Amino acid sequence: MKKFLNRKTVLLGLIAVFLFIYILQISFDGKNSMKTLSVKGEIDCLKISYPSNPEKDITLEIKDGAWYWGNYATNEPLIKSFVNAVSTVKVLGTATSSGDKERYDLTDEKIIKVEALSGGKTVRTICIGKDTPNGTQCYALIDSSSSVQIIAQGLKSLFTFTKDAIRTKTAYSVGISLINSIHIKNADGEYTLKKVAVPQTDTEIPQTKWFVVGKEEMELDQSKVVFFVDGISSMTANSWLSDDAEPTAAEPIAVAELSTADETVTVMTYPPEKGSMDNVVKCSASPYLFKTASGNAEAFKRTVESFLPGVDDEE
């Protein structure tokens, strides 16, 4: 009987403790519940400024449905992460209302200021201070409030970037199914590959076949040609050269013309810069020269014979 009473006393004591904790938790959550601040309208411009280093300031705008930094096409996924971060801000609570900005790196020497606009009107302003130690939260001033808020995202890390990271790495991209002709000129000569529709029976969809213009009797390994076309239909820039950069040689190593029904994209590859392994490329799809991995440039050196059945691609 005594043991039973002791167990009952312990159990009631634990219930009381858990009830007390529960009441405190409710009270705490009531005072510090997360708030979500969303902007009205679609953000079409971001002004990112660094008061301590104005040369890093950058303005991003939507033009013809795509994000641009001046005349440069941008890394759209990165820009969209910026837009998402400022359009919907989750506030965990207030760090201070006393105006102690230095403690949170919210002084002009350290802040990053992001202004979001929609239709020419400012819809959100965030002055970003330091991230929390784990990098998943940060301190910030939002809009006109003077209180330091705790944001449920590491905005300091997000908006610390190089301008090279802002630019797209897609130098050109042509839909493989749209390409109907490719002209290649390199040190081994020049040739043109052309795609035609081969009629089948009345119930079958016409198949496509590649042949060499002027050498229609030459039987090509169609899988090799398709693999080649797929590989050169787009190209990634490792980095962009300065706007006034010149090619590294008077003449390109190889030239490729990719034609669709609506356009022809010309790609010219040049030798690498001194001390670099990446080829320099000039493309009609962009006014800016860029570097690409040498393997990408090698594709344009292929001979027409390399597409023959039984011929090693590396020969």
Side-chain angles (χ1 to χ4, degrees):
M1 184 68 179
K2 187 175 182 180
K3 287 183 178 180
F4 176 79
L5 290 174
N6 288 339
R7 289 178 180 175
K8 186 176 181 180
T9 302
V10 172
L11 182 59
L12 290 173
L14 289 174
I15 292 174
V17 169
F18 288 132
L19 180 60
F20 179 71
I21 293 174
Y22 178 67
I23 293 172
L24 286 178
Q25 187 66 48
I26 292 175
S27 176
F28 180 82
D29 289 344
K31 293 179 180 179
N32 298 277
S33 58
M34 183 171 65
K35 295 184 295 184
T36 300
L37 305 178
S38 300
V39 301
K40 294 182 179 180
E42 182 180 352
I43 294 174
D44 53 25
C45 178
L46 286 175
K47 295 181 180 180
I48 307 170
S49 58
Y50 305 80
S52 64
N53 189 2
E55 290 184 358
K56 293 175 61 178
D57 293 357
I58 190 170
T59 297
L60 304 166
E61 299 178 278
I62 290 182
K63 299 177 183 179
D64 299 324
W67 282 94
Y68 278 82
W69 165 33
N71 293 322
Y72 303 138
T74 64
N75 178 352
E76 292 263 344
L78 178 61
I79 308 308
K80 287 180 180 178
S81 71
F82 293 167
V83 173
N84 291 337
V86 299
S87 61
T88 303
V89 178
K90 295 181 179 180
V91 180
L92 298 176
T94 300
T96 180
S97 301
S98 64
D100 182 13
K101 308 296 191 300
E102 187 172 353
R103 178 181 176 185
Y104 302 100
D105 287 356
L106 285 166
T107 60
D108 286 344
E109 292 75 24
K110 294 183 178 180
I111 67 167
I112 298 174
K113 183 179 179 181
V114 181
E115 183 181 358
L117 295 88
S118 177
K121 180 181 178 181
T122 299
V123 293
R124 162 87 8 104
T125 301
I126 301 180
C127 291
I128 302 168
K130 65 181 179 181
D131 284 346
T132 56
N134 62 11
T136 61
Q137 301 165 2
C138 75
Y139 302 99
L141 299 173
I142 303 175
D143 297 329
S144 59
S145 175
S146 59
S147 298
V148 177
Q149 307 292 342
I150 305 172
I151 309 302
Q153 188 174 355
L155 298 182
K156 186 82 167 188
S157 301
L158 180 63
F159 286 97
T160 300
F161 53 83
T162 64
K163 288 185 175 179
D164 187 62
I166 289 293
R167 297 180 66 175
T168 181
K169 291 299 184 289
T170 301
Y172 74 84
S173 182
V174 184
I176 181 174
S177 63
L178 301 178
I179 298 174
N180 54 39
S181 176
I182 298 174
H183 183 76
I184 299 291
K185 181 179 181 181
N186 54 39
D188 294 309
E190 58 184 304
Y191 58 91
T192 300
L193 297 171
K194 192 171 182 63
K195 182 174 69 176
V196 295
V198 180
Q200 303 293 308
T201 64
D202 294 339
T203 59
E204 293 182 337
I205 299 174
Q207 302 296 306
T208 58
K209 183 177 181 179
W210 289 89
F211 66 91
V212 182
V213 175
K215 297 181 180 180
E216 285 78 6
E217 74 285 353
M218 182 181 289
E219 191 66 30
L220 304 180
D221 185 327
Q222 295 298 310
S223 63
K224 287 184 178 181
V225 180
V226 171
F227 185 77
F228 169 70
V229 176
D230 184 32
I232 67 171
S233 63
S234 63
M235 186 174 285
T236 299
N238 284 355
S239 62
W240 294 93
L241 276 64
S242 61
D243 294 359
D244 57 356
E246 296 290 337
T248 51
E251 296 294 331
I253 298 172
V255 178
E257 295 177 351
L258 287 64
S259 298
T260 69
D262 300 317
E263 64 174 343
T264 295
V265 175
T266 302
V267 185
M268 293 173 281
T269 60
Y270 293 87
E273 292 180 318
K274 187 176 180 179
S276 173
M277 296 293 290
D278 294 340
N279 284 83
V280 172
V281 180
K282 184 176 182 180
C283 177
S284 62
S286 172
Y288 311 108
L289 274 66
F290 61 93
K291 292 181 181 181
T292 192
S294 58
N296 293 334
E298 287 293 323
F300 298 109
K301 297 181 181 180
R302 290 193 65 155
T303 63
V304 69
E305 289 77 17
S306 68
F307 298 111
L308 296 176
V311 176
D312 192 327
D313 288 350
E314 296 183 358
E315 291 184 1

